[in-house]
Amino acid sequence: MPSIKPLLDEYGVIHEAMKILPEELKLNFLEALAELEDNECHRTRTFPKTRLHKVMGIKQAIYRADIDKISGWRIHLQYIEGKIHLKDIIGGQKHDNVIEVIKSKKDRYD
């Protein structure tokens, strides 16, 4: 059985995603969460679905994961004590202004 990386959602990102995501992206969101939970992806640092990467230009270690590359929907997350903490879901029209989005909700990020 594959090892699962703990995923915490203290800001209700999953609930928010199900409310605001277009219907055709909801399955993509669940697939992205499944890839993020898969410890094998973290061990090999291979994230073909989400293209997980660190946000550059900001002091904190904040990561972005694609829900869908073309539409621009993203998940922001942080690693705290070996666990994944979901921080925000970002709509396609806002994903290019990543630093402004993070600063606007700076109380969410450690």
Side-chain angles (χ1 to χ4, degrees), residues 10 45 54 58-59 63 74 77 79 82 88 99 108:
E10 63 261 40
R45 296 182 184 192
K54 186 175 180 188
I58 197 118
K59 190 163 57 168
Y63 293 82
R74 308 277 191 268
L77 57 104
Y79 292 94
D88 206 357
I99 294 176
R108 289 187 180 207

Side-chain angles (χ1 to χ4, degrees), residues 9-92:
D9 185 18
E10 63 261 40
Y11 295 105
V13 173
I14 296 170
H15 179 72
E16 182 68 15
M18 289 299 124
K19 284 186 355 190
I20 67 172
L21 274 171
E23 201 61 40
E24 63 273 11
L25 294 180
K26 289 182 180 179
L27 182 58
N28 292 27
F29 176 72
L30 295 176
E31 290 171 348
L33 291 179
E35 183 177 275
L36 293 171
E37 283 185 318
D38 186 349
N39 205 52
E40 186 65 15
C41 291
H42 294 275
R43 190 185 69 73
T44 61
R45 296 182 184 192
T46 306
F47 297 91
K49 171 84 178 145
T50 61
R51 300 180 324 127
L52 182 69
H53 63 280
K54 186 175 180 188
V55 174
M56 303 311 255
I58 197 118
K59 190 163 57 168
Q60 303 102 317
I62 300 169
Y63 293 82
R64 288 171 43 153
D66 291 348
I67 295 170
D68 178 66
K69 181 183 176 192
I70 295 168
S71 69
W73 283 87
R74 308 277 191 268
I75 304 166
H76 284 184
L77 57 104
Q78 285 185 295
Y79 292 94
I80 302 170
E81 298 176 0
K83 298 174 184 156
I84 299 168
H85 291 254
L86 300 178
K87 297 297 182 173
D88 206 357
I89 181 165
I90 310 300

